Amino acid sequence: MDTTIKVDTEVRDRLALLANERGTTMRDLVAQLTQAALTADELRDRAERAEQYVRLKIASDLSADDLTRGEDVWAAVEAGNVPESLTDDGRRAA
């Protein structure tokens, strides 16, 4: 069964461009995008599995503070900032 999704013209045009560049249909592109996007539950599950892996393979004494600092580092990197702790000489990256 098919259904219709209403989107802005700009969104439709972008979907059409992406589908064309990938050699697929808009229908298949939307299906691929929905399969690639994680739900909140899937994200929580992935985070839990990652934490378990780190505890098992890297740092069995991982603390809540360590996790918080890790989240802060990722947030900084996503914002385009390289935390001092990630540069070779302790200086901020240019």
Side-chain angles (χ1 to χ4, degrees):
M1 176 169 43
D2 288 343
T3 190
T4 301
I5 301 172
K6 292 187 177 193
V7 296
D8 292 336
T9 303
E10 289 178 17
V11 173
R12 183 211 54 217
D13 292 347
R14 180 149 176 88
L15 286 170
L17 175 63
L18 290 168
N20 185 49
E21 286 180 350
R22 296 175 186 195
T24 190
T25 64
M26 284 177 42
R27 172 196 302 253
D28 289 342
L29 176 67
V30 170
Q32 292 168 10
L33 293 172
T34 60
Q35 292 301 312
L38 299 177
T39 66
D41 286 342
E42 291 166 333
L43 285 170
R44 276 190 296 277
D45 180 58
R46 179 179 280 185
E48 288 171 8
R49 286 185 287 122
E51 182 181 337
Q52 289 171 0
Y53 178 86
V54 169
R55 287 184 188 284
L56 180 66
K57 303 283 185 175
I58 301 171
S60 60
D61 59 345
L62 192 68
S63 71
D65 287 340
D66 294 330
L67 292 171
T68 299
R69 281 194 299 275
E71 290 171 3
D72 292 344
V73 167
W74 278 116
V77 170
E78 287 174 345
N81 302 315
V82 177
E84 288 182 27
S85 61
L86 296 182
T87 61
D88 290 336
D89 58 6
R91 293 181 296 150
R92 290 213 179 265

